[in-house]
Amino acid sequence: MAKFDLTAKNCQYLDRHLTFPLLEFLLQKNVYDQSSLLKFILETVSKTNMVDYTMDIRERLTLEKTLPEELNTRRANVLVTLKELQTEVAPLMKCMEELKNPDTLKDSKSIIHSLQQQLDYDIIQSAQKLAKYLYECGNYNDSLSYLYICMLVMEPNDKNYLGVLWGKLAVEILTLNWPTALEDLTRLRDFIENYNFSPIQVLQQRTWLIHWSVLVFFNHAKGRDLIIDMFLYKPQYLNAIQTMCPHILRYLATAVIINRGRRNALKDLIKVIQQESYTYRDPITEFLEHLYVNFDFEGARKKLHECQTVIINDFFIIGCLDEFIENARLMIFETFCRIHQCITIGMLADKLNMKPDEAECWIVNLIRNARLDAKIDSKLGHVVMGTQPLSPYQQLVEKIDSLSVRSEALTLLVERKHKAKTQESGEGHWKYY
């Protein structure tokens, strides 16, 4: 199963603290040698100030229970530094208490204005350092309070503002506050797109954001639509996926499969999967290729079985397992029905990895819920399909979606050319070298 594990690739683009839940998940799944994985976690956590977590990992490795002198010294140093930073930001404490007071929340703008006027820039910097230090200690909730203050007071052109945005998003993810995490994700994405990064820097920022956003999207009610809109229909992010991290196609494919309302995205997704098949493929992307490119139902059935194993061992999408299997079976069934008008229940059961009785009950439920135009002949054991033409409304929706994608791509191309032309004309007047 280690063949399809993406933890190593994903962790390259995640903050150190965000990798700990993934690594703990792997420990439960026994994908790798437990001792080796614990040693890796110990090596990673030693780069933070999480002394208690370090002790816990040492115990699980059955190392000596007495703490090494180095750990005792480190703990003492952490406490001293923490106290020093808290002293430096003492003027902020009163303001923070006022912000927490429900009576003063109505006039929060005036409080922010007074913070900007009264507090020295060095205090704001100290608050940012304290937030980072608390974060490194694993004290995420206290870190969030200081990050919130920094985000309110700092100007967007401040050199530390980007770090504060990343830090707040990380804390919201680690504290499982998904609605706020989505807001922070949107704010960070807008900042990245509007900041004056070099092409390499903006590509790196987008790649990191893509990986962090997967954690948010699969835990938010609106995430299944948003991940498709961002990864598939925003050309700059699709380009980042194709250039830097084609393995993200696993999560995009999963989102499309479990989202019945976005079946029109299948055509565009499959084009991307075919383009990137030489750089990345796994059972989930191959399942779609077998079903919609090769029309190989036997191959799709085998890949669906492999998909279950992949999802069970993937931290990001394990919560989607039941929905994935249900919708993948429905996709096989719908595609099979477009080709055949009369199908035996036994054949369907074989294609869907189900027993004949289970398959018949499943089809009955589809008909009952008005999601299938078909009749069952129980005596012969056949399913007789009705005609299912594509409605004019659905045809119009698909055309509009296609036009919007092309329009956005053309707009970006025109903007890029205009920007390049402006820069060229500007260089002629302001060249000092």
Side-chain angles (χ1 to χ4, degrees):
M1 192 53 238
K3 176 184 176 184
F4 298 117
D5 179 50
L6 295 180
T7 305
K9 290 181 179 179
N10 289 329
C11 285
Q12 294 177 38
Y13 302 100
L14 295 175
D15 178 81
R16 195 176 289 120
H17 291 252
L18 293 176
T19 66
F20 293 139
L22 277 70
L23 297 172
E24 290 286 353
F25 176 81
L26 280 185
L27 282 172
Q28 297 173 11
K29 294 298 176 181
N30 294 315
V31 176
Y32 300 101
D33 176 64
Q34 297 278 299
S35 178
S36 301
L37 193 51
L38 281 168
K39 286 177 182 175
F40 178 76
I41 296 174
L42 182 62
E43 181 186 343
T44 307
V45 78
S46 65
K47 297 172 185 175
T48 71
N49 294 326
M50 300 170 71
V51 181
D52 291 337
Y53 189 29
T54 305
M55 289 168 57
D56 177 56
I57 300 298
R58 286 177 61 83
E59 284 179 16
R60 284 195 266 174
L61 276 168
T62 64
L63 298 175
E64 64 271 13
K65 291 187 178 180
T66 55
L67 278 178
E69 186 61 32
E70 180 192 350
L71 269 180
N72 282 321
T73 307
R74 205 167 95 200
R75 171 177 273 178
N77 291 337
V78 166
L79 293 173
V80 169
T81 307
L82 202 56
K83 194 170 182 180
E84 288 174 356
L85 288 170
Q86 285 172 338
T87 304
E88 288 179 17
V89 299
L92 261 179
M93 298 305 294
K94 185 178 179 182
C95 297
M96 286 177 64
E97 289 303 319
E98 288 179 4
L99 278 174
K100 290 178 183 177
N101 188 344
D103 296 331
T104 59
L105 279 175
K106 294 177 183 177
D107 196 21
S108 56
K109 287 185 179 179
S110 62
I111 295 174
I112 294 166
H113 181 70
S114 65
L115 280 172
Q116 291 172 330
Q117 294 295 321
Q118 297 173 17
L119 295 177
D120 190 89
Y121 180 72
D122 292 337
I123 296 176
I124 304 302
Q125 277 199 316
S126 297
Q128 191 257 339
K129 288 178 185 176
L130 179 56
K132 181 75 166 66
Y133 205 77
L134 287 166
Y135 178 82
E136 289 299 333
C137 293
N139 194 343
Y140 304 125
N141 287 318
D142 286 348
S143 175
L144 180 60
S145 301
Y146 290 101
L147 284 168
Y148 181 67
I149 293 291
C150 291
M151 195 176 70
L152 289 176
V153 178
M154 282 183 176
E155 295 292 336
N157 58 0
D158 191 292
K159 63 179 181 180
N160 295 316
Y161 188 75
L162 179 61
V164 169
L165 290 180
W166 279 108
K168 190 168 184 301
L169 176 58
V171 170
E172 299 293 2
I173 291 171
L174 289 164
T175 54
L176 310 182
N177 190 358
W178 303 118
T180 311
L182 182 60
E183 292 174 11
D184 289 337
L185 176 66
T186 306
R187 187 182 295 111
L188 180 57
R189 186 178 66 202
D190 292 342
F191 183 86
I192 289 170
E193 296 308 315
N194 293 307
Y195 195 76
N196 190 25
F197 287 116
S198 69
I200 294 295
Q201 287 174 326
V202 76
L203 181 60
Q204 290 171 338
Q205 292 286 327
R206 285 172 184 159
T207 306
W208 277 72
L209 189 66
I210 284 166
H211 287 80
W212 290 40
S213 66
V214 174
L215 283 163
V216 179
F217 288 144
F218 280 104
N219 288 285
H220 193 282
K222 297 179 180 178
R224 294 167 188 186
D225 284 318
L226 295 173
I227 191 173
I228 297 170
D229 293 335
M230 179 173 164
F231 290 2
L232 190 58
Y233 292 120
K234 286 192 180 294
Q236 63 270 41
Y237 285 92
L238 179 58
N239 178 58
I241 290 170
Q242 292 175 305
T243 306
M244 301 290 289
C245 49
H247 59 272
I248 292 294
L249 289 174
R250 171 186 294 184
Y251 306 114
L252 178 56
T254 301
V256 172
I257 289 170
I258 65 176
N259 196 336
R260 289 175 190 162
R262 299 298 294 271
R263 286 288 185 264
N264 56 325
L266 268 171
K267 190 186 296 183
D268 298 317
L269 173 64
I270 289 163
K271 284 180 185 176
V272 176
I273 287 173
Q274 285 184 282
Q275 287 170 4
E276 301 304 317
S277 60
Y278 68 97
T279 56
Y280 178 78
R281 56 174 56 221
D282 68 17
I284 295 176
T285 61
E286 288 179 322
F287 167 77
L288 290 174
E289 279 192 292
H290 280 301
L291 188 57
Y292 291 106
V293 179
N294 306 324
F295 296 99
D296 178 3
F297 295 99
E298 182 61 24
R301 183 186 68 81
K302 290 177 180 176
K303 289 299 171 185
L304 178 56
H305 184 69
E306 290 179 22
C307 286
Q308 296 182 51
T309 310
V310 169
I311 294 171
I312 287 170
N313 291 283
D314 193 306
F315 177 83
F316 291 94
I317 53 177
I318 187 171
C320 304
L321 177 62
D322 293 338
E323 284 181 278
F324 183 93
I325 300 304
E326 172 72 14
N327 283 283
R329 283 174 174 166
L330 184 61
M331 291 165 83
I332 293 174
F333 183 68
E334 288 173 343
T335 308
F336 199 75
C337 291
R338 288 195 192 104
I339 300 171
H340 305 86
Q341 190 173 6
C342 185
I343 313 156
T344 64
I345 292 174
M347 183 189 293
L348 270 177
D350 181 57
K351 301 296 180 192
L352 300 172
N353 282 339
M354 300 170 79
K355 294 177 182 177
D357 292 343
E358 290 177 351
E360 186 173 353
C361 289
W362 186 72
I363 296 164
V364 167
N365 287 330
L366 286 179
I367 296 171
R368 187 180 296 150
N369 295 328
R371 283 160 48 201
L372 180 66
D373 181 14
K375 294 179 181 179
I376 294 178
D377 188 333
S378 298
K379 290 183 180 179
L380 297 175
H382 288 171
V383 180
V384 181
M385 301 303 303
T387 55
Q388 293 179 308
L390 194 64
S391 69
Y393 170 75
Q394 191 61 37
Q395 292 179 40
L396 181 63
V397 167
E398 289 189 5
K399 290 288 184 185
I400 291 171
D401 283 345
S402 175
L403 284 171
S404 66
V405 174
R406 290 179 184 177
S407 300
E408 188 173 355
L410 283 170
T411 304
L412 285 169
L413 183 62
V414 170
E415 287 178 354
R416 198 181 302 126
K417 287 187 175 181
H418 177 69
K419 189 175 179 181
K421 190 175 180 181
T422 306
Q423 287 176 346
E424 284 175 9
S425 61
E427 282 177 3
H429 296 89
W430 301 96
K431 193 173 284 186
Y432 289 102
Y433 51 88

